[in-house]
Amino acid sequence: VLVLDSAYGVKGCLEPLQTHSSLVTIARVRSNRVFYQVPEAEAYSGKGRRPWYGERFALNNADTWHPADEAVEFTEMGRNGPIHVEIQAWSNMLMRGSKEHPMQTHPFTLIRVERRSAQGHRIGKVMWLIVIGKQRLDFGQKGDVQVMHYGEEKGDYLKNHLPLDQYASHQHSEGTVRV
């Protein structure tokens, strides 16, 4: 599993990684991004090229979202009391590609994580993640996330830039995070 910050959650970085069949990449994405559903089979009229993208999904516009494929809610204890965590997941999403980086051939799972106080006030920003790779579907079923890093410097980078302890209960040891 490769964990990337939002600067790397773009087609130019993600598409070349898809040549590694056993690699699953988790990347943060900015909240102003737009993704697409996989096109419906009925969208093809039989003439011309089949459509590459389906309905638009703007992260900052909930009116464009279709119902989540999976959703989980739980409460965890924070420093100032209980925190309500809501996680939603949409499968088989696509991002726009280009001739050099044909992302229409690489579906991913889009995940939204929101935390709220007991009073209902949002804590921090909503976190959006994409999980991409041929084995991404196996990833969610295992429940264990292996985060491989090389050296203390990269481990500190992951801890500082992807603060998993703010979004899910976890246990960790050197090189492994259990979510």
Side-chain angles (χ1 to χ4, degrees):
V1 173
L2 177 63
V3 179
L4 302 172
D5 200 21
S6 62
Y8 302 98
V10 295
K11 64 185 174 189
C13 180
L14 295 174
E15 193 273 331
L17 295 173
Q18 302 315 300
T19 60
H20 304 283
S21 62
S22 62
L23 179 65
V24 173
T25 304
I26 303 171
R28 269 190 180 185
V29 290
R30 295 184 327 269
S31 62
N32 64 348
R33 296 282 302 269
V34 174
F35 298 115
Y36 298 86
Q37 295 180 43
V38 171
E40 303 276 335
E42 301 86 43
Y44 181 59
S45 65
K47 295 182 180 183
R49 176 183 59 78
R50 290 186 181 276
W52 285 344
Y53 307 104
E55 294 293 316
R56 185 175 190 267
F57 190 106
L59 302 187
N60 60 5
N61 183 357
D63 294 337
T64 64
W65 305 354
H66 59 280
D69 297 316
E70 295 181 56
V72 157
E73 295 184 32
F74 58 91
T75 302
E76 64 182 13
M77 285 305 295
R79 280 184 250 145
N80 299 322
I83 297 172
H84 178 74
V85 180
E86 180 182 9
I87 302 174
Q88 297 171 288
W90 291 267
S91 301
N92 293 319
M93 299 296 290
L94 297 170
M95 71 172 62
R96 286 242 182 237
S98 65
K99 188 181 252 186
E100 298 83 27
H101 305 291
M103 291 303 294
Q104 71 274 8
T105 60
H106 304 293
F108 58 85
T109 300
L110 178 65
I111 298 173
R112 179 181 182 269
V113 182
E114 182 177 24
R115 301 171 66 233
R116 292 192 175 271
S117 67
Q119 295 79 27
H121 302 291
R122 184 179 293 152
I123 300 172
K125 294 180 180 179
V126 171
M127 183 168 66
W128 289 94
L129 302 167
I130 62 172
V131 181
I132 189 168
K134 291 178 178 79
Q135 295 188 11
R136 75 184 187 286
L137 301 176
D138 297 336
F139 169 79
Q141 296 170 354
K142 293 178 182 171
D144 288 340
V145 181
Q146 298 292 322
V147 179
M148 302 300 180
H149 58 81
Y150 302 96
E152 239 174 17
E153 184 179 75
K154 292 196 180 180
D156 290 340
Y157 178 85
L158 291 177
K159 289 177 202 165
N160 294 331
H161 290 84
L162 186 65
L164 291 173
D165 60 331
Q166 293 182 11
Y167 296 98
S169 301
H170 72 282
Q171 301 169 342
H172 61 87
S173 61
E174 190 64 32
T176 303
V177 177
R178 177 182 289 271
V179 179

